[in-house]
């Protein structure tokens, strides 16, 4: 699973020279005048590159693990591929639909019942009402008996664990061929985690492309065949997952 | 720019989902939810009616019947006020969804204007009932200019979309925006012919009102209900200004999108 030629027919993700610049201060200070009138900000603000000239391609069916220390740019890269960040330099070309397992419960509203929430969240990700009807039983089954009991209760009465379960169940029933996972596997109890793992393996077997951010070597080894090693926003390694994990472990702590 | 809007059009099913969600949340807690959208403008109309028509004895501040005049103005204002208030928070309020779903970001603004617009349409039966009462008593006679009413709705929607697309990203990048918006809306309420008629304003000040796109929009809404002549000038400027706001808003939104996504 080494880097593929750039023009491979099966290329589903092509990231080319991507850079993302963040402001070091929590919030960039801009006045209304500057924004509306297209002036350059007068306040000098320190910036850093969360991603710097990152290039790689992913082919259909690849299972890619992102490796690196905190602040290395893993989540930033994942969000860029998901299309919820726009790069400052370079291009990101994602040729198939994406199911992002990021902020799992983001689409849920506390006032509505769990049932309504399932329909709404699935709808936001492009499923029609009929498609949700078909999958509804499967979704609730997966989320577990506690969720089934409270399916017509307002969602805010759910424990955070139950909320995440339902979120995971909804997103993983989407048909999208690319799956992005940002450390969500760390939540939930042991049984549920195992259930999530099995679901992910099933998805991988059916030829989905996976992008996984994790600090757990066991997870990375279990799901991924290829690793990308990010260090201070730069891509410093791209190869078989074993080699990449080894390289990461050997790297001097900075 | 056109490509963006084609993409939004392709995602209209999601827009439908979002608008339904908004309405469901609004009416989930109680079926009284619907009544509230009517009670608010009606009670305001009643207050202004008592103050101006009964206490100050100046029902000629607007057209006759003054109560009908007030109800139209206040229903329209309610849509405008709610749209601007909520579009300015549109991206912040849904930060989690904006962070996790790859949808054209304009949808978050459009959905607010549409959901509030639907509430506006749902409140129109009240206007119909009040107009009917005045028609039966022979005070009000509708005229053909009522056809301007739907055009006013479209124009107002464009105006609000434009302002919303300016404000939503601005609010994310500068937190003081919401405060400024609130003060500005309060001033605009009195600078708009809602509780008084545009034809009461004379001289140079009348031309100043042409700069307020809501002046023309109010003229269009009321034209079919009252015999008074309609001022064409403010209608023309309000069309130009509304479309201008829409284009300015669309470009500003696209330009600030990258910075907004980093901040949110």
């Amino acid at each position: 699973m080494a880097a593929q030629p750039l023009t491979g027919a099966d290329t589903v993700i092509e990231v080319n020279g991507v850079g993302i610049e963040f402001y070091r201060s929590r919030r960039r200070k801009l006045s209304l005048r500057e924004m509306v009138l297209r002036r350059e900000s007068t306040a000098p603000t320190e910036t850093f590159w969360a991603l710097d000239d990152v290039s790689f391609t992913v082919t259909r069916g690849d299972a890619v693990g992102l490796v690196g220390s905190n602040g290395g740019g893993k989540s930033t890269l994942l969000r860029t591929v998901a299309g919820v960040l726009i790069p400052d330099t370079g291009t990101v070309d994602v040729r198939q639909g994406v199911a992002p397992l990021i902020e799992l419960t983001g689409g849920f509203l506390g006032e509505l019942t769990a049932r309504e929430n399932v329909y709404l969240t699935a709808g936001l990700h492009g499923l029609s009402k009929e498609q949700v009807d078909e999958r509804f039983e499967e979704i609730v089954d997966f989320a577990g008996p506690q969720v089934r009991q409270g399916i017509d209760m307002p969602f805010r009465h759910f424990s955070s664990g139950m909320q995440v379960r339902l979120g995971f169940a909804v997103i993983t029933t989407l048909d999208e061929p690319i799956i992005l996972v940002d450390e969500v596997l760390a939540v939930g109890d042991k049984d549920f985690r195992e259930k999530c793992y099995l679901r992910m393996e099933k998805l991988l077997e059916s030829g989905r492309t996976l992008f996984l951010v994790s600090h757990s070597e066991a997870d990375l080894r279990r799901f991924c065949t290829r690793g990308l090693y990010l260090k201070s926003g730069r891509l410093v390694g791209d190869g078989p997952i074993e080699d990449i994990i080894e390289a990461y472990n050997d790297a001097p702590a900075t | 720019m056109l490509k963006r809007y084609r993409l939004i059009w392709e995602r209209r099913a999601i827009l439908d989902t979002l608008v339904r969600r908004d309405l469901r949340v609004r009416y989930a807690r109680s079926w009284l939810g619907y009544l509230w959208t009517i009670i608010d403008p009606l009670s305001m109309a009643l207050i202004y009616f008592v103050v101006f028509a009964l206490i100050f004895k100046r029902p000629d501040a607007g057209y006759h019947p003054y109560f009908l005049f007030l109800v139209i103005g206040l229903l329209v204002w309610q849509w405008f006020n709610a749209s601007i208030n909520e579009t300015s928070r549109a991206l912040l309020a849904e930060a989690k969804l904006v962070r996790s779903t790859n949808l054209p970001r304009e949808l978050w603004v459009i959905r607010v204007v549409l959901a509030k617009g639907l509430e506006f349409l749902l409140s129109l039966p009240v206007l119909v009932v009040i107009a009917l009462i005045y028609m039966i008593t022979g005070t009000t006679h509708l005229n053909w200019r009522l056809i301007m009413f739907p055009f006013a709705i479209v124009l107002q929607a464009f105006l609000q979309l434009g302002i919303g697309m300016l404000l939503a990203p601005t609010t994310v990048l500068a937190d003081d925006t919401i405060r400024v918006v609130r003060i500005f809306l309060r001033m605009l309420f009195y600078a708009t012919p809602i509780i008084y008629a545009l034809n009461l304003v004379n001289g140079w000040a009348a031309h100043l009102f042409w700069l307020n796109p809501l002046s023309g929009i109010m003229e269009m809404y009321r034209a079919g209900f009252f015999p008074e002549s309609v001022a064409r000038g403010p209608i023309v400027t309000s069309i130009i200004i509304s479309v201008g706001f829409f284009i300015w808003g669309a470009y500003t939104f696209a330009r600030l999108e990258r910075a907004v996504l980093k901040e949110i």
Side-chain angles (χ1 to χ4, degrees), chain A residues 21 27-28 32 35-36 38 82-84 86-88 100 102-103 107 109 111 116 120 123-125, chain B residues 14 17 21 24-25 29 96-97 99-102 105 170 172-173 175 177 248 255 258-259 261-263:
Chain A
E21 188 181 24
R27 198 170 270 277
R28 55 194 290 208
L32 285 172
M35 227 174 315
V36 176
R38 193 197 276 264
V84 294
I86 304 172
D88 291 305
I102 310 170
E103 303 258 4
L109 284 177
E111 295 89 11
E116 289 172 313
L120 288 169
L124 276 187
H125 287 281
Chain B
I14 287 172
T17 308
R21 188 180 84 150
R24 204 169 294 168
V25 169
R29 285 177 199 264
K96 275 181 162 182
L97 274 176
R99 265 203 307 258
S100 63
T101 49
N102 181 17
R105 258 63 66 170
T170 310
V172 176
L173 300 177
D175 357 312
T177 314
W248 186 22
R255 188 163 58 81
R258 180 176 281 131
L261 289 175
K262 286 180 193 168
E263 285 299 324

Side-chain angles (χ1 to χ4, degrees), chain B residues 3-75:
Chain B
K3 209 177 133 207
R4 286 178 84 98
Y5 285 88
R6 196 172 323 134
L7 204 66
I8 292 170
W9 179 246
E10 281 166 15
R11 299 302 187 94
R12 62 188 180 281
I14 287 172
L15 200 57
D16 182 64
T17 308
L18 282 172
V19 171
R20 271 169 210 277
R21 188 180 84 150
D22 279 357
L23 294 180
R24 204 169 294 168
V25 169
R26 181 156 180 105
Y27 302 130
R29 285 177 199 264
S30 71
W31 59 269
L32 276 173
Y34 173 65
L35 279 183
W36 288 124
T37 52
I38 308 170
I39 288 172
D40 202 51
L42 275 186
S43 59
M44 288 312 286
L46 200 64
I47 290 169
Y48 287 113
F49 184 75
V50 169
V51 171
F52 288 103
L54 302 182
I55 299 177
F56 289 149
K57 307 221 185 311
R58 284 298 303 271
D60 55 341
Y63 303 152
H64 182 71
Y66 187 51
F67 189 70
L68 179 64
F69 179 89
L70 281 175
V71 168
I72 298 176
L74 287 164
L75 284 176

Side-chain angles (χ1 to χ4, degrees), chain B residues 80 83-84 87-88 109 157-170 181 184 188 213-214 242 245-246 249:
Chain B
F80 182 81
S83 277
I84 302 307
T87 46
S88 63
V109 173
F158 267 94
L159 175 65
Q160 287 162 181
L161 285 172
I163 300 177
M165 286 193 284
L166 276 174
L167 290 180
T170 310
V181 167
F184 186 74
L188 191 65
L214 286 174
S242 299
F245 259 118
F246 183 78

Side-chain angles (χ1 to χ4, degrees), chain A residues 101 104 118 135-148 151 161-173 185 187-203:
Chain A
L101 287 152
L104 275 180
V118 168
R135 294 163 210 213
F136 190 77
E137 277 307 308
E138 189 197 336
I139 292 172
V140 178
D141 254 354
F142 188 84
Q146 287 165 297
V147 173
R148 178 180 291 280
I151 195 71
M162 281 155 74
Q163 295 188 353
V164 171
R165 283 175 183 216
L166 197 58
F168 187 91
V170 172
I171 303 292
T172 51
T173 49
L185 297 182
V187 293
D189 52 30
K190 220 172 92 190
D191 288 346
F192 185 71
R193 206 154 60 218
E194 196 48 43
K195 227 162 128 185
C196 289
Y197 285 171
L198 292 175
R199 165 77 66 106
M200 298 246 307
E201 274 168 355
K202 236 171 74 191
L203 289 171

